[in-house]
Amino acid sequence: MTLLEVDGIDVAYGDVQVIWDVSFSVSEGETVALLGANGAGKTTVLKTICGPLAPSAGTITFHGEPIGDLEQDEVVPKGVTHIPEGRDIFTESTVKENLRLGAYTNPDGMADQFERVYDVFPRLEERRGQQAGTLSGGEQQMLAIGRGLMSDPDLILLDEASLGLAPVLVEDVFDAIERINEEGTTVLLVEQDVNNALHIADRGYVLESGRLTLSGDAADLAEDERVAASYLGG
Ligand code: ATP
């Protein structure tokens, strides 16, 4: 069943249009990768789905309900969580406090979600009393994802979760995303790390200069020379 449907959206910053007529869908239970070079518009598409931006044309529906014009604080209770690039955690607060804040729309389910997050990321439980700003980069990324899970989302939007991490941590983060998906959360991820992204994804879409140019099964895209070319701006 279709969970998220993006249909013919245009998006602009002021007068400058950066997304043209983009359509794609994500079904319940899938992991879908949105790929493309720097500046292709991937982050813009995620921000349009989760609230801060609104499309100037086209529609976005989630569970069949229009969400394109909703703000972020209206979208989260509907079941969409966005993990922005750059982590965006509360550095002065503890790990546990950051997680607790992620559950603001889900106070009744907080205990269960703590259990789930600590199960996926045992490191966060070990460090629950530590100030978040003193965590390593990889631990901060785990915390950002964990905080997103605290709202018990149906769909998680992940922006460059592996960016800037050492290879061993990249593997940990992708393993965690795979596990979160296996446990029932649908995933839409934006990635520069095409190989890892297509390894865990079911399907993918390629954005080039604000337009979708390719789509298909992840295994087919991984073999497609045009995917590599799109990253070189070709
Ligand atoms: P990256 O992989 O480098 O993060 P991206 O594919 O996520 O790139 P976006 O960040 O969505 O790309 O940017 C798409 C285009 O929109 C770029 O040309 C960028 O310069 C422009 N853009 C992004 N944010 C703004 C903004 N706040 N104001 C004006 N233009 C913006």
Side-chain angles (χ1 to χ4, degrees), residues 6-86:
V6 174
D7 187 13
I9 61 166
D10 291 346
V11 187
Y13 293 100
D15 293 336
V16 182
Q17 186 170 344
V18 297
I19 297 295
W20 281 267
D21 195 23
V22 163
S23 300
F24 66 94
S25 64
V26 181
S27 295
E28 251 168 55
E30 276 191 311
T31 293
V32 171
L34 190 56
L35 307 170
N38 283 324
K42 307 176 299 293
T43 297
T44 301
V45 170
L46 289 195
K47 286 185 176 166
T48 309
I49 296 167
C50 74
L53 298 171
S56 51
T59 56
I60 301 174
T61 53
F62 181 67
H63 283 303
E65 195 187 332
I67 59 161
D69 292 330
L70 299 186
E71 298 296 331
Q72 185 141 11
D73 60 352
E74 299 170 304
V75 173
V76 175
K78 296 195 181 294
V80 181
T81 283
H82 177 220
I83 318 293
E85 189 179 345

